[in-house]
Amino acid sequence: MAADESAPAAVVTAAEIARLAGVTRAAVSNWRRRHPDFPRPAVGTATSPLFALTEVQQWLDRQGKGRETSAEVDLWQELRAQYGDDLLTALGAVGAQLLGTAVVQPLAEPAAAALTVLSAERDAHALYADLVERCIASTARSGGEPMTTLALERIVSAFAGPGDNAAGTSDRTIGTVYDPACGIGTLLLSAAPGAHRYGQELNPATATITELRSRLGGTTATVARGDSLRKDLFPDLRADLVVCEPPVGVADWGRDVLLLDPRWELGVPPRSESELAWVQHCLAHTAPGGHALLVLPASVAYRKAGRRIRAELVRRGLLTSVVALPPGLASSHSLPMHLWILRRLAKGDPDPTNIRMIDLSTADPDAIGTKDGAPTPEQIADVPPIDILDDDVDLSPGRYVTPDHGDYPVEYSSLRDRIQRLAQDLLGLLPELPAGPGRIEAAPIGLGDLVRGGLVDVDGTVPTSRTDQLDTDYLRGFLRSAANTRRSTTASGTFRMNIGSAQLPQMDVARQREYGAAFRRLAAFEELLGEAAAVGGQASALAYDGLTKGALLPPATSTSSGRNESQEAQEQ
């Protein structure tokens, strides 16, 4: 593969900026919040940003904080030159060299030499952790393998930790940790120091990264390869702590072959609710007295299809808490997320009397999981199960937590600043598209032919490629054309994918990926537009509330008579 030519010549993570300036990462986070002229992220996501090195150096020089360029930046550019977007293979080669083990595709010069120099100067585990952080940001930008962000790692670890953490988890000793969809091991390896860890991962390359991170970090981890739902390789494991950020929106998760599976103690999950299959899988592996923490899309809390299973969670006292998180914390999408905390009662444990709802949906993502970002009493509501068990069984914390606007001017100003940042991000995501010839000169192929040929799966209105010769984003983008939309829209206005008539142009896979990249940016634009609409709604609601309560005043005018401009316009 070729290196990503659209990326800046050199970019740096927040951790590397901290080393350039000789400060902590917390200081860099403060600079970003307090200095309007601090460079905006060039690429990456809200929780894993990458900054243009030249802009950062210029800013540090102006502030008198600059040092020499990090050698890790040069190493990363060499890795991109050798491996392109195949960053998992690159990380595997780096980890193998740090451990002195063999690898199928070893590092080439000068990357190997650069790594040798760096590993002599720095702790191997810390160096590898920094490269993993960069990989998470890069793959999120390019639409690669979804990975748990470091922000989610911090949040899950904080709520899983001992003591009073506002979420109802206990301070009992944690001897075993399990993650059935462990990816590169971010959640599995961060929680409960000293515990033995068990993970299962479908992708062999990411499973290898987990093993390398475990060995470099000196932890004990057993990692199996395979699909945890279809083939559970730890059927007898009961862990003290289960952590998981499962795949989102998987249509074919194995329901047809798992209808009688004993893990479904709350009911067989609907085909469209793969996340509730993971919830029950995690619960089945939770030891008596243990906890399970799952990061899930917010929609799992209220979708109609999952209502019965949610009701059983509540009735049986298995749900301890739900934490609403801000959007943008996941690497693969910018949707709002929830953290569900489950508990398997041990013998003699009292039945829970309330479910704790914590609404951090508008909190600072950089603060959640830190001492300064602990939930306040106004963000917490202890809700009796009977109040949840209505027709909806809605587990969204925002439904039960009454927002408290203690400082209207500060909160309103913060929302306006956030809207301004979102507007800039939206403009950055919307691609510049040069003029085309007016039509695509390519023979069409029918979606039905692709489905019948076993090349495409369609779940409802969502098609997914089953071959590396057909790009999923290219497929989904062209199926949203005006012509295909008309073919799939009924007379009543309902959209149902018309597999028999939907068409798309035939292209080689390289050209497909070019279109797919553009469609991904448009999809990210749409998601961020939804977030902007939500923040705009918060700002307008706060403004109305503040103005009518007297906590906010109308903007000052420059007219000498004191009348506002609207009044003058009406009189003219």
Side-chain angles (χ1 to χ4, degrees):
M1 295 182 185
D4 185 358
E5 296 178 356
S6 66
V11 289
V12 288
T13 64
E16 288 166 339
I17 295 174
R19 283 194 295 280
L20 285 174
V23 298
T24 64
R25 283 195 60 187
V28 175
S29 295
N30 287 333
W31 291 345
R32 292 181 63 193
R33 287 195 295 266
R34 296 174 183 174
H35 294 272
D37 63 335
F38 190 89
R40 296 186 58 77
V43 289
T45 67
T47 55
S48 299
L50 293 174
F51 303 84
L53 175 60
T54 54
E55 295 180 5
V56 170
Q57 288 177 317
Q58 292 169 1
W59 189 87
L60 291 175
D61 289 342
R62 291 197 301 270
Q63 299 291 326
K65 297 180 171 69
R67 292 184 177 183
E68 71 273 7
T69 302
S70 169
E72 291 167 33
V73 176
D74 298 327
L75 170 60
W76 188 256
Q77 298 307 316
E78 295 297 340
L79 293 175
R80 293 303 300 266
Q82 179 178 352
Y83 296 94
D85 287 332
D86 190 7
L87 301 177
L88 293 177
T89 301
L91 277 183
V94 169
Q97 179 167 323
L98 290 173
L99 290 168
T101 58
V103 66
V104 174
Q105 188 180 352
L107 292 178
E109 298 295 344
L115 180 60
T116 299
V117 173
L118 273 172
S119 59
E121 298 173 350
R122 293 195 58 201
D123 173 73
H125 179 234
L127 172 59
Y128 199 62
D130 289 341
L131 293 174
V132 166
E133 178 181 352
R134 179 177 285 277
C135 180
I136 292 172
S138 296
T139 53
R141 171 173 53 88
S142 62
E145 182 78 12
M147 298 180 184
T148 299
T149 63
L150 300 184
L152 280 176
E153 172 196 3
R154 181 188 68 245
I155 292 168
V156 172
S157 295
F159 281 102
D164 182 11
N165 53 31
T169 53
S170 67
D171 56 1
R172 68 192 296 263
T173 301
I174 298 175
T176 53
V177 179
Y178 170 61
D179 186 342
C182 64
I184 61 172
T186 302
L187 294 181
L188 177 66
L189 300 176
S190 60
H196 188 94
R197 302 163 199 280
Y198 297 87
Q200 186 165 334
E201 169 56 32
L202 178 62
N203 187 334
T206 53
T208 297
I209 303 301
T210 299
E211 292 173 331
L212 292 169
R213 295 178 73 183
S214 174
R215 292 179 61 187
L216 287 167
T219 58
T220 304
T222 303
V223 183
R225 289 156 175 78
D227 186 330
S228 290
L229 292 183
R230 294 176 183 268
K231 189 175 181 180
D232 186 358
L233 297 177
F234 299 104
D236 299 323
L237 175 65
R238 301 295 180 268
D240 301 311
L241 176 65
V242 181
V243 291
C244 188
E245 183 189 2
V248 173
V250 177
D252 184 15
W253 53 269
R255 183 181 190 274
D256 292 343
V257 297
L258 297 172
L259 289 174
L260 301 179
D261 197 286
R263 289 172 293 182
W264 314 145
E265 62 177 286
L266 307 178
V268 179
R271 190 181 306 277
S272 61
E273 294 283 349
S274 62
E275 293 87 358
L276 291 179
W278 287 99
V279 167
Q280 295 193 78
H281 174 86
C282 290
L283 189 59
H285 284 278
T286 304
H291 287 85
L293 284 77
L294 292 93
V295 179
L296 302 169
S299 57
V300 181
Y302 58 78
R303 287 195 298 239
K304 185 176 180 180
R307 178 178 54 192
R308 184 167 60 87
I309 291 177
R310 294 196 302 270
E312 287 301 308
L313 274 174
V314 173
R315 287 192 187 99
R316 302 189 189 194
L318 297 169
L319 183 65
T320 297
S321 184
V322 179
V323 185
L325 301 173
L329 288 173
S331 67
S332 58
H333 58 82
S334 59
L335 301 173
M337 305 292 289
H338 285 175
L339 176 64
W340 286 23
I341 301 175
L342 313 176
R343 185 181 185 186
R344 175 77 72 181
L345 294 178
K347 185 177 181 180
D349 285 346
D351 292 334
T353 57
N354 293 301
I355 295 173
R356 176 153 290 188
M357 297 291 179
I358 304 176
D359 190 357
L360 301 179
S361 58
T362 60
D364 180 358
D366 291 332
I368 302 175
T370 68
K371 183 178 180 181
D372 294 337
T376 64
E378 292 78 15
Q379 294 171 316
I380 300 173
D382 290 323
V383 185
I386 192 64
D387 291 349
I388 299 175
L389 292 171
D390 56 14
D391 290 339
D392 298 322
V393 196
D394 190 338
L395 301 181
S396 303
R399 182 167 178 170
Y400 307 97
V401 178
T402 302
D404 176 72
H405 303 296
D407 194 331
Y408 279 80
V410 171
E411 188 170 345
Y412 184 68
S413 176
S414 175
L415 285 171
R416 290 190 80 252
D417 290 343
R418 188 174 173 190
I419 290 172
Q420 185 177 31
R421 293 194 300 269
L422 284 168
Q424 293 171 338
D425 290 342
L426 283 167
L427 187 60
L429 278 174
L430 194 62
E432 295 184 11
L433 303 175
R439 60 179 300 175
I440 295 177
E441 299 294 342
I445 185 171
L447 176 61
D449 294 331
L450 296 173
V451 172
R452 285 188 292 273
L455 301 178
V456 172
D457 283 332
V458 177
D459 177 56
T461 62
V462 182
T464 303
S465 169
R466 299 185 63 182
T467 170
D468 57 8
Q469 295 303 307
L470 185 62
D471 184 86
T472 292
D473 294 298
Y474 142 85
L475 171 70
R476 293 176 179 176
F478 271 103
L479 290 176
R480 289 187 59 179
S481 71
N484 283 324
T485 300
R486 284 195 300 270
R487 296 185 184 108
S488 298
T489 303
T490 65
S492 63
T494 302
F495 183 87
R496 293 174 182 165
M497 180 61 68
N498 190 330
I499 296 176
S501 63
Q503 294 183 334
L504 59 153
Q506 297 188 58
M507 299 180 181
D508 62 74
V509 69
R511 188 62 170 161
Q512 290 179 32
R513 288 170 181 159
E514 291 177 357
Y515 274 95
F519 290 139
R520 277 197 304 274
R521 288 186 64 178
L522 288 172
F525 172 83
E526 289 178 327
E527 289 185 356
L528 194 61
L529 190 62
E531 178 185 343
V535 175
Q538 295 172 16
S540 61
L542 184 69
Y544 275 113
D545 195 30
L547 286 168
T548 55
K549 284 184 175 179
L552 297 173
L553 294 175
T557 64
S558 58
T559 57
S560 59
S561 66
R563 296 180 301 171
N564 62 45
E565 296 173 357
S566 176
Q567 290 173 322
E568 291 185 346
Q570 292 175 5
E571 294 173 0
Q572 292 176 355

